[in-house]
Amino acid sequence: MVLVRFELVQTFLSRDFQYKAIMQAESQRQRDCHARRMSSDVARPGQRAVTRRLAAKMAHTSNGLSKAVAILTSDGTAPGDLETLAKVVAKTPTDAADFPEATRATIAVEGAEAKNRVFVDPSTVLTAILACANNSSSDIAGVCFEHVKSLLGRAHSGGKNHFLSFFSFLIEEVARDPAGKCFKALSTAKYIAIAKPKSSVPGDIRPIGITSVFRRIYGKYVMIESGKLLGGVLSSRKCNPQFAVGVSSGANILGLATSIQREVAPTHVSAAIDVKNAFNELQRPLLFEALSKFRENFRCPKELRRYDAFLAYARSHYAHGPQELSSFMSDGERKDVMCSRGVNQGCPHGTALFSIALDFIVLAVFEEHGHLFPSVSSNWFADDGVASGPVLRSSSSHASEASTLTKQASSSPSKD
């Protein structure tokens, strides 16, 4: 990395570097491509056609049949009116617990040591950029992945990709920043409300934060580096495996595990667990306590390096105060919504962060209350879980051990 930095500085300071000429050539290339597309006799695909292509790709390449069905049956976004804005604000808690001194001290130490732990590989950054799906939502500045791919996904002068090197350098500097100087720029997001027609609450929505393209590429890079590492720990839990991170077709595996449980123990009962507004209600002090605890699962220097990069990403986005999210009305008016809790749905690392926090909570529930349900186990896909176990009968009541776990897990995320 020292050589890469030295070469980067030499390149950008060298008088021979034709930065302006490369930018002009790239701009001309994009104008030429746009002209060819506009002059083509082939009609631009409609929204429905794009949706079908995305669903087909999801089904065939990722074996994500359930996700493909969700894409095809989605009712899209809720209308941009005051009623939707009120629902968004109601699901975005502004009250937050203070970080305990011990947690703040741990975050400060980890941030100070990041310069010796976090290194960014440009080739992996390129892989992350090329893995970003086209036709995704633009960020608050109107930038899409297609714009970045055309600039960073190909070589330029002399067969070198100077923009990619500089972009990787920026990611590394952001990850190493212990004071959170880039926090506001990184945490800002465009808030959209996804309609939930199957919800028991009429007109219910799911707020999704469309973060900047820079942050999404940064997040994909981190998940390429550490996704399977995190998933290997979470999915291997003996009693409470989590299949939402680093596991292909995790939702299908959850259903399969439940079916196998019923076949193996037909006298057991299963209880579905769905934590209400889970991603938005999560207290951030608890999140960082869980992240520090989760680090104890790793001993190998290579694994620790990858996890520290993931931890630096979380720290740069959630450890420095409330986020400013922007919700747009139908007429284009911008409304600011402050967010002090939770993790953003719609960000590549959001599910991983939530899953680690939930894993921490479930393990604590089993350690503290496990004597009440010694034969119960649970399987999870993000905030959707299934607890299974025998029916416990006593002289005073007939209660299911699984339902006890349901109550404990459903109430824990909202606690400090």
Side-chain angles (χ1 to χ4, degrees):
M1 287 306 301
V2 174
L3 291 176
V4 171
R5 279 196 178 182
F6 179 77
E7 182 181 352
L8 181 64
V9 173
Q10 288 283 83
T11 301
F12 275 84
L13 293 180
S14 173
R15 294 181 180 179
D16 297 331
F17 180 62
Q18 302 296 326
Y19 178 82
K20 188 173 182 180
I22 292 175
M23 287 296 293
Q24 290 175 346
E26 177 61 21
S27 298
Q28 184 61 46
R29 188 190 69 81
Q30 293 190 29
R31 285 195 296 269
D32 293 341
C33 289
H34 178 71
R36 286 195 297 271
R37 285 196 299 267
M38 295 302 292
S39 61
S40 174
D41 294 333
V42 180
R44 185 180 180 88
Q47 182 61 38
R48 191 61 182 170
V50 171
T51 302
R52 287 174 178 171
R53 289 180 188 177
L54 181 60
K57 181 179 179 181
M58 183 68 68
H60 290 293
T61 61
S62 304
N63 195 27
L65 188 58
S66 59
K67 290 184 179 180
V69 171
I71 290 171
L72 289 173
T73 58
S74 173
D75 278 14
T77 58
D81 52 24
L82 292 176
E83 182 181 356
T84 300
L85 178 63
K87 295 176 183 177
V88 168
V89 172
K91 289 202 170 189
T92 309
T94 56
D95 60 315
D98 292 332
F99 280 78
E101 289 300 323
T103 304
R104 287 189 179 278
T106 301
I107 292 174
V109 170
E110 291 171 345
E113 294 178 352
K115 62 181 181 181
N116 299 319
R117 295 179 177 178
V118 180
F119 302 95
V120 174
D121 177 20
S123 63
T124 308
V125 174
L126 178 60
T127 301
I129 292 171
L130 297 179
C132 296
N134 292 334
N135 302 312
S136 61
S137 299
S138 59
D139 62 17
I140 196 170
V143 181
C144 299
F145 285 132
E146 293 90 325
H147 304 147
V148 180
K149 283 183 179 180
S150 62
L151 187 64
L152 300 175
R154 55 190 289 272
H156 296 281
S157 176
K160 297 182 179 180
N161 195 329
H162 301 293
F163 295 134
L164 177 64
S165 297
F166 186 64
F167 192 82
S168 303
F169 172 76
L170 287 178
I171 290 178
E172 186 173 293
E173 289 302 304
V174 167
R176 290 178 165 197
D177 175 25
K181 296 176 183 177
C182 300
F183 172 73
K184 185 174 182 179
L186 287 172
S187 62
T188 300
K190 180 174 68 175
Y191 229 11
I192 62 173
I194 304 296
K196 295 177 64 177
K198 296 182 180 180
S199 173
S200 58
V201 180
D204 196 12
I205 62 165
R206 176 185 290 111
I208 302 292
I210 307 299
T211 57
S212 68
V213 165
F214 178 88
R215 176 174 168 178
R216 281 183 277 173
I217 292 174
Y218 180 11
K220 281 188 176 292
Y221 167 82
V222 169
M223 293 311 297
I224 288 174
E225 283 278 283
S226 58
K228 290 185 177 180
L229 178 69
L230 305 177
V233 175
L234 292 170
S235 63
S236 62
R237 298 294 193 200
K238 184 176 180 180
C239 294
N240 312 294
Q242 169 68 254
F243 302 115
V245 183
V247 179
S248 179
S249 304
N252 297 336
I253 293 177
L254 173 62
L256 182 61
T258 304
S259 298
I260 292 174
Q261 187 83 16
R262 291 172 179 170
E263 291 290 333
V264 173
T267 59
H268 286 195
V269 296
S270 296
I273 305 172
D274 186 7
V275 187
K276 184 179 179 181
N277 200 24
F279 279 70
N280 297 324
E281 290 286 349
L282 180 64
Q283 289 283 9
R284 291 177 183 175
L286 183 144
L287 169 63
F288 282 95
E289 184 181 352
L291 290 172
S292 296
K293 181 70 174 178
F294 198 78
R295 194 175 188 272
E296 297 175 2
N297 292 290
F298 309 112
R299 296 289 184 270
C300 171
K302 184 177 181 180
E303 292 179 346
L304 287 171
R305 178 184 63 80
R306 291 182 174 181
Y307 184 73
D308 285 336
F310 174 80
L311 192 57
Y313 183 84
R315 190 169 53 248
S316 63
H317 291 86
Y318 295 108
H320 303 289
Q323 298 169 266
E324 185 178 293
L325 307 177
S326 298
S327 181
F328 289 88
M329 310 299 285
S330 298
D331 59 0
E333 183 183 0
R334 176 175 171 175
K335 300 285 189 179
D336 289 335
V337 180
M338 300 306 295
C339 177
S340 301
R341 283 199 210 176
V343 294
N344 294 134
Q345 287 181 276
C347 200
H349 75 307
T351 300
L353 289 174
F354 175 81
S355 298
I356 290 174
L358 183 63
D359 177 72
F360 177 76
I361 292 168
V362 172
L363 288 176
V365 169
F366 269 84
E367 288 179 4
E368 185 175 350
H369 305 284
H371 63 281
L372 299 176
F373 38 84
S375 301
V376 170
S377 62
S378 63
N379 299 302
W380 296 85
F381 182 81
D383 59 335
D384 294 321
V386 177
S388 301
V391 174
L392 183 64
R393 297 181 181 274
S394 64
S395 58
S396 59
S397 63
H398 299 272
S400 170
E401 296 180 8
S403 64
T404 305
L405 175 61
T406 302
K407 295 176 182 178
Q408 294 290 341
S410 297
S411 60
S412 295
S414 61
K415 294 181 180 180
D416 294 350

